[in-house]
Structures are given as structure tokens and as C-alpha cells.
Amino acid sequence: MKTSGGFVDSHSHLRSTPLADFGVSGSCLEEAILRMNAMSAVDVEHDSFLACSDLISVGVTGVQFIFHTFGPSQQYIETLEKSLNGIRRSGIRARVILAIADQYEFFPANVRNPVNLPNFVQTGPRMKPVDFLELIENAQKRNTDFDFGVGPVAPQWCSDAMMEAIGSIAKKGLRVHTHCLESEKQRHWISESPIDRLQRFGLLGQSTSLAHAIWLNDKELDLIKATGTHLVTCPRSNLFLNSGKANCTKWLDSEISFGVGLDSIGYKESVLGTAKLSLSEQDATHALIIGGVNAAGLSSDLDQVLWRDWENGIVEEVFINGKQIISNGKHINSQEIAESRELVLSQVKSDLKAREQRHKALDEVMDQYLALLKS
């Protein structure tokens, strides 16, 4: 049997059910994002508990979780607390990124006559920067056992005022994580490129990691290298969402530090197999362990995985912070996991007809929506 350090999932939304099971797909990332609004609501605590437990079962001992909602402060904090409870129950090590979006989530800034989207496509009331800063402070005070970070959900989806607020809290020592150039369209979503925007608000540097980063140009890669910013490649997610493929060979040649993100796309999968979609086994292993620790700012010195089958991602034992979480291939909370999975699957199944109707409503406007994005 092979022994290794624990893998780090450097970019996750902690969904226990893959997007495909909710009918989310499409011709491009933007269609998929819109279709995410048709997903079924499930119990948040059970969802994050299952997602984390599934990660541990394939050798992941640390995860960088980007959290956000479109709702007001109270809804944000209540949903966050449920997610944190699920993470606690699993035993995984986590960096929780408190993220926010307050502009242009579904349409570029230059669209003057947007499509009338179905009423279930919600962005909610815009949270003000002062409210977001207060929310972060409250979350830290209430959950001292967690390592938090901050970030825009994506730079083009945050106003100048919100970006300034995020920059101010980052200066106090919080790490930064965000989606960046996941699709080609995002470069021109607003008048300023995402990388320029992050740089303008002081959000590049050794405590920052950027997820996806598929469409970075050479000049931007030079800036990433010069600032010590970390990248996160999400190869399986990028394939599923038709986003493109990050040039990890160039990242390696440029000696840019990067990790690997699973992005909550699949059920239990070989994490090494996902990383090897873009990397050699040696580089994949380095990115999953050392690169992941650096990208998420998580210490994993006391984490260890004993592999029953290294190539296929089957574990025998998993230790996190010295505590055994998986023994003889079985999670210590296996009964709780089974109960939570039954609950979540029943919620997904019971919402099938309503979910299909939501997708049909999106079908009616999708051609017009995609045509607007091309104009």
C-alpha cells in the first residue's frame, strides 16, 4: 500500500449532488450558470456534510470552500452557519471563503435591453459593503474554529465599492480566493479586465488564489508570477462546463504555484485522475498536496492517507490533524452519512417535476439570452 500526504481540493462549492443530476449543462459556462438557478434546494448542513465526507473518502483532507448566497445578510449568515456545521461533522480541514456578488451576475454591463428571465432567477437585494464587512466580522467571532478568507465571487460581478471593501478586509490578513477568467466572455464582461481589477484593489499576492484562470494571457501570467499569486486549475469542471482548458504546461514553465480544484462536479472520483487530465502524475501529485496547501493556506503536516488503490483513488485509512477519520475504508460517521444521503437524494427526487419546469422556462429564453451575449 502507498502512503501520502492528504490532497487539498483548492476550489469547491461543497455540493454533494453533481450539477448534471440537477439538469445543469449547456453550450457554455454562462448557460450553465443561468441553469444553476433551476437546481433543487436541499438541506444545507446535510449537503456540506456529505460533500466533505465524500472528499475525505477519496483522500482529500483539506478543502477551500467558496461560499456565497444572493440573499440579504441574515440569510447569508444563517446559510453559512448550516454549511459550517456540516463541515465540522465531517472532520475535514477547511478554508471558508466568504464571497459576494453585487452587479452584472447574468448580463454584461453593456447590455441595455436584457432578456426577461424567469422570476426564480434571483440575485436578491444587493448587500451593501458595510453590511458585508459586518457579516465577516460576525462570522469570525461566532466561528473561531474556522479559517476564513474573502473574495468577490468573480471580479466583474462586484462593484467598485464592494471591491474596495474586500481589499480593506484582505489587508487585515484574510486570504483571498475568487473565480477568474473561467470563460473567454468574462474578459469583456465589464470595461475592466478581471486581472486588472484585482490588481487595482490590491487583491493579487501570495495570499491570493484564482480558480480556473483558463483565459490568462502572457502579460497576466507574468503579473501572477511577479506577485506570487496562486492559481487553481479545475480540469474536469472546465470540460463539463465547456469553458476551455488551462495551459498548465505554461504555468509549470513559469514556475507559478498552483493547486487543483474539483469544483463539486462529480460524485466520488479519483482526485489524481482528475488532476492527470492536465498534468503528469508527478506534477499532479505535487499540485494536489504542496500546491493545494499553498493555494488554500492550509497546513496539512498531520494529515496522512494510506491508499488501498492509489491509481483509482481508493483509500484504506485517512488521518486529519492526527485523528483517524477513515478506517478500513469506512468513515467513522458512516451511519450519519447514509442518513444524510437518503435525505438529500429524496429532496432532489421529490423536486424533479418542478425542476424540469424551471428548466423549460429557461429553455424559452435561452436562445435569446445566448444571442445577447454574442452581440
Side-chain angles (χ1 to χ4, degrees), residues 27-179:
S27 59
C28 63
L29 174 68
E30 285 69 30
E31 176 173 353
I33 289 174
L34 196 55
R35 289 196 180 277
M36 288 177 193
N37 290 270
M39 292 169 60
S40 302
V42 299
D43 184 282
V44 175
E45 179 175 337
H46 288 281
D47 200 29
S48 61
F49 170 60
L50 283 174
C52 291
S53 299
D54 286 345
L55 287 175
I56 296 170
S57 73
V58 292
V60 174
T61 61
V63 62
Q64 182 160 242
F65 165 41
I66 183 165
F67 173 88
H68 75 99
T69 73
F70 285 124
S73 299
Q74 188 61 33
Q75 180 188 347
Y76 190 111
I77 199 72
E78 289 175 357
T79 308
L80 172 65
E81 293 285 354
K82 293 176 182 177
S83 293
L84 297 182
N85 285 338
I87 296 170
R88 286 189 183 97
R89 289 170 56 196
S90 76
I92 204 166
R93 185 190 306 276
R95 166 82 56 189
V96 178
I97 304 300
L98 304 176
I100 191 73
D102 70 343
Q103 69 171 18
Y104 307 129
E105 293 95 339
F106 301 113
F107 295 99
N110 63 359
V111 171
R112 294 290 174 260
N113 297 297
V115 178
N116 289 322
L117 298 176
N119 59 12
F120 59 81
V121 179
Q122 297 179 357
T123 57
R126 307 287 185 176
M127 197 184 303
K128 296 179 180 178
V130 64
D131 296 327
F132 187 53
L133 292 176
E134 182 179 354
L135 181 153
I136 292 172
E137 183 177 352
N138 288 339
Q140 290 178 296
K141 287 180 178 178
R142 291 161 60 101
N143 302 280
T144 57
D145 54 329
F146 275 97
D147 294 321
F148 288 102
V150 67
V153 177
Q156 69 276 6
W157 295 335
C158 271
S159 63
D160 281 6
M162 191 65 79
M163 291 291 285
E164 186 174 349
I166 292 169
S168 70
I169 196 69
K171 288 177 182 177
K172 296 179 181 180
L174 265 70
R175 296 185 68 89
V176 175
H177 181 67
T178 185
H179 299 81

Side-chain angles (χ1 to χ4, degrees), residues 52 80 95 119 129 168 174 179 188 191 239 248 286-287 297 311 323 363 365 368:
C52 291
L80 172 65
R95 166 82 56 189
N119 59 12
S168 70
L174 265 70
H179 299 81
H188 306 291
S191 59
L239 285 171
C248 292
H286 183 275
E311 286 294 330
K323 179 181 179 181
D363 290 342
V365 300
Q368 187 182 356

Side-chain angles (χ1 to χ4, degrees), residues 4 9 12 91 102 121 129 147 152-153 165 219 249 272 281 303 308 312 316 374-375:
S4 77
D9 180 354
S12 176
D102 70 343
V121 179
D147 294 321
V153 177
K219 181 180 179 182
T249 299
L272 181 64
E281 181 167 322
D303 298 353
R308 183 183 301 172
N312 293 307
E316 181 71 15
K374 293 178 182 178
S375 62

